[in-house]
């Protein structure tokens, strides 16, 4: 469950200044995984960015505290090292969504998370004497390295891989569809048969037909994604309004037996021609 019982405003104090490449970056280097245009998301003081640039890599650093200029465009490789461990659950989800949005289709992101943490929660920073937060993080992505101190996950967009042996199109969405954003347990993708420009589906990765059977944590994650998608669509298409809703069971217009949430931009000149479920919630004469 999401919680913000205590302020977590000193996350930046966990960043460390170093004169050498971090262990995860060194591992990426040795495995030849640093390819194309690279982003270090949550780079802290920017040590890896500086040292990898010296080695000739095309790398950009972003950190909301130390390097606050938000990155532009898409990246082939994104690094996110020891960021999620210092965040509450909701900001963790926001980072996962932002990284997915910045990643090229077919690109890869790498998350390093701490292992061996003896106690989760707040503790006083031994140098700055401020309360800093640490937690354990487990991600449903491919693990490419794990030891007693660190685990590294490799992430690619959900529609760029085979996720299930079943024939559900929402478990294995087409590569040709544009993925809008993704988190650990849900993704958003443009509808293959859109009612309007920008019509998007938020889809939990768990294969369930009935939305009400989803665990509450996954419902909340989906609705956080609805908010994120609305911002993206508003900026890109400038619609005049939105319909947001769910069809549950065939009597309510559900055709795909994998639950999903529709986010449908509406435009003043929009002509509705498709009837049924969320696709025809606005009467033609209104």
């Amino acid at each position: 469950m999401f919680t913000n019982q205590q302020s977590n405003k000193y996350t930046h104090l966990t960043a460390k200044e170093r004169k050498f490449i971090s262990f995860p970056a060194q591992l990426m280097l040795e495995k030849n995984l640093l390819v194309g245009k690279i982003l270090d998301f949550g780079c802290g003081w920017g040590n890896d960015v500086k040292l990898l640039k010296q080695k000739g890599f095309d790398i950009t650093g972003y950190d909301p505290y130390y390097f606050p200029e938000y990155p532009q465009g898409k990246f082939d490789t994104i690094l996110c090292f020891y960021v999620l461990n210092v965040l509450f659950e909701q900001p963790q989800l926001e980072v996962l969504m932002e990284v997915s949005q910045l990643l090229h289709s077919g690109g890869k992101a790498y998350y390093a998370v701490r292992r061996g943490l003896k106690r989760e929660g707040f503790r006083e920073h031994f140098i700055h004497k401020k309360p800093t937060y640490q937690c354990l993080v487990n991600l449903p992505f491919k693990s490419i390295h794990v030891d007693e101190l660190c685990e590294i996950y490799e992430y690619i967009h959900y529609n760029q891989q085979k996720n299930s042996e079943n024939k559900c199109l929402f478990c294995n969405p087409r590569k040709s569809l544009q993925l809008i954003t993704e988190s650990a347990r849900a993704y958003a993708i443009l509808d293959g048969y859109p009612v309007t420009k920008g019509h998007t589906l938020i889809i939990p990765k768990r294969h369930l037909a009935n939305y009400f059977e989803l665990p509450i944590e996954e419902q909340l994650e989906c609705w956080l994604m609805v908010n994120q998608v609305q911002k993206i669509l508003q900026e890109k298409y400038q619609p005049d309004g939105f319909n947001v809703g769910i069809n549950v069971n065939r009597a309510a217009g559900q055709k795909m037996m994998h639950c999903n949430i529709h986010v449908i931009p509406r435009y003043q000149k929009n002509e509705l021609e498709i009837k049924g479920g969320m696709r025809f919630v606005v009467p033609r004469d209104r």
Side-chain angles (χ1 to χ4, degrees), residues 22-80:
S22 69
F23 171 76
Q26 184 62 43
L27 189 71
M28 300 292 101
L29 193 59
E30 293 171 1
K31 291 180 175 289
N32 297 314
L33 296 174
L34 300 174
V35 298
K37 189 179 177 183
I38 305 167
L39 172 66
D40 188 345
F41 190 99
C43 64
W45 290 91
N47 304 291
D48 285 341
V49 175
K50 176 183 175 182
L51 294 170
L52 289 172
K53 273 186 177 179
Q54 291 174 1
K55 292 180 178 291
F57 289 95
D58 179 9
I59 184 168
T60 299
Y62 166 71
D63 187 280
Y65 188 87
Y66 298 101
F67 295 90
E69 184 177 350
Y70 200 79
Q72 300 299 310
K74 301 280 188 176
F75 295 85
D76 302 295
T77 305
I78 300 181
L79 313 177
C80 187

Side-chain angles (χ1 to χ4, degrees), residues 158-159 161 163-164 166-175 177 187 189 193 201 203 207 256-258:
Y158 197 69
N159 66 329
Q161 57 189 319
N163 307 295
S164 172
N166 70 37
K167 295 181 179 181
C168 173
L169 292 178
F170 286 174
C171 291
N172 299 289
R174 297 198 302 268
K175 291 183 179 181
L177 293 176
Y187 70 96
I189 202 162
Y193 303 93
L201 300 177
I203 304 171
H207 183 62
M256 289 292 296
M257 292 299 105
H258 183 129

